Amino acid sequence: IVPLQFSLTKRDQLEYSKGYFGIVIARGKDSQVVSQAIQLGDLEYQISSAIYKLTTKELPTVGLVGDEGVDPAQLEPLRQLLSSQFTVQSSSTPEASTKALLVVDSGAKTYEEGEIAKLTSYVKGGGNAIFMLDGVTVDPTLQAAEATHGLFDLLSSFGIVLQKDLVLSQQSEFINASAQAGGQFQVIVPYYFWLKTATFNPEVSFFSNIQSISMPWASSLQLKKVNGVNTKELIQTSPVSWHQTENFTLDPQAITDPKQSEIGRASCRERV
């Protein structure tokens, strides 16, 4: 349990002190630690996860697929979250014993035919998989290009068509931007490519304790009927959304407002 530093103004003086707001849950010789129990919103979840981990003899395995080209620091928060209830296996291959797969698009990997065949067989065999893929990749210099992961046809075979576009929305996150050439001062402006939405499917409980979700540079999805496959839409953008399919303009100061006929909702996340 790590100490937390607090500041207190007293008699025109700023004082600092340290305190401990952690929880240890023990069972026999084993223990789990909630190192900072300061967020009441997820405290019940953290305690329940700790009890679950202490009372489960063998944690189910979640495999990461295609994470070889991803900066480990970017995936570390996800690993920590998953490790509260699962054993996380990096560079995994689809196996029947794996509880679920997270298929990652690093932007640098193209899945080979053999890998795609294994993924297809795993899902058709009843395996659980989340595909975290781009329809269009955006590099650090804000250059957009068609995604090269090679999994478009795999998703389409299960009725989910990943579009090669980028969705924009007037309900979005805000960013700092230079107000004049040379960046003489900064202003806060909405960045339409960083979507923010609270439109969730009320029939599913995944988002019951989530107020909103932000999705940077997301692509839209379309559904098509495939025999033996049921699809369920999970998230939509706000009604004031549109998309770009070519000649992508990512500079926040160069984005033009859409025509009225281009505005609508976009579906950004679905599951098989």
Side-chain angles (χ1 to χ4, degrees):
I1 297 179
V2 297
L4 300 176
Q5 182 170 285
F6 299 89
S7 61
L8 176 66
T9 303
K10 186 177 182 181
R11 294 180 181 178
D12 297 328
Q13 291 184 345
L14 183 62
E15 298 179 357
Y16 293 94
S17 61
K18 291 183 179 180
Y20 296 85
F21 286 80
I23 300 174
V24 175
I25 301 174
R27 182 173 187 261
K29 296 181 180 179
D30 299 323
S31 64
Q32 290 291 315
V33 175
V34 180
S35 61
Q36 297 182 9
I38 57 177
Q39 298 293 336
L40 295 180
D42 66 346
L43 183 57
E44 181 181 357
Y45 172 81
Q46 292 190 57
I47 294 175
S48 299
S49 297
I51 295 174
Y52 172 80
K53 197 167 185 177
L54 283 173
T55 56
T56 303
K57 292 183 179 180
E58 185 176 356
L59 296 176
T61 299
V62 168
L64 297 178
V65 181
D67 59 317
E68 301 93 336
V70 182
D71 182 356
Q74 293 181 331
L75 290 177
E76 188 57 30
L78 177 61
R79 291 178 185 276
Q80 291 182 0
L81 179 63
L82 291 174
S83 63
S84 65
Q85 298 187 41
F86 304 98
T87 297
V88 182
Q89 184 179 53
S90 185
S91 303
S92 178
T93 56
E95 298 178 0
S97 60
T98 304
K99 178 69 174 180
L101 293 177
L102 298 182
V103 184
V104 178
D105 175 16
S106 66
K109 176 181 175 60
T110 300
Y111 285 82
E112 300 177 354
E113 290 186 6
E115 295 174 307
I116 295 174
K118 289 180 179 179
L119 287 171
T120 303
S121 177
Y122 173 80
V123 175
K124 286 186 175 181
N128 303 296
I130 296 177
F131 292 84
M132 301 191 295
L133 310 176
D134 291 319
V136 172
T137 59
V138 178
D139 67 21
T141 65
L142 295 185
Q143 297 298 312
E146 181 180 320
T148 59
H149 47 72
L151 297 176
F152 288 98
D153 289 342
L154 186 154
L155 291 183
S156 180
S157 68
F158 289 103
I160 297 176
V161 181
L162 175 59
Q163 299 296 299
K164 299 175 182 179
D165 64 4
L166 289 175
V167 179
L168 302 87
S169 177
Q170 290 184 358
Q171 184 174 322
S172 58
E173 294 289 354
F174 287 79
I175 63 169
N176 288 320
S178 298
Q180 294 183 7
Q184 295 182 16
F185 60 91
Q186 302 288 316
V187 294
I188 305 298
V189 297
Y191 188 49
Y192 294 154
F193 285 103
W194 288 7
L195 315 175
K196 185 175 182 179
T197 182
T199 306
F200 308 131
N201 188 334
E203 296 180 357
V204 297
S205 60
F206 302 153
F207 311 101
S208 58
N209 294 320
I210 297 177
Q211 294 183 348
S212 64
I213 284 181
S214 298
M215 296 176 287
W217 297 302
S219 297
S220 63
L221 303 174
Q222 288 186 355
L223 298 180
K224 68 175 186 179
K225 291 185 178 180
V226 174
N227 291 334
V229 176
N230 294 321
T231 57
K232 182 176 294 186
E233 191 172 273
L234 299 184
I235 303 174
Q236 287 185 341
T237 62
S238 75
V240 190
S241 302
W242 65 103
H243 66 160
Q244 290 182 5
T245 57
E246 57 185 8
N247 300 323
F248 298 101
T249 304
L250 304 185
D251 183 343
Q253 297 178 321
I255 299 174
T256 58
D257 291 332
K259 300 176 181 178
Q260 189 63 36
S261 60
E262 298 174 333
I263 295 177
R265 291 184 184 272
S267 176
C268 296
R269 291 291 187 274
E270 296 169 22
R271 65 171 181 169
V272 175

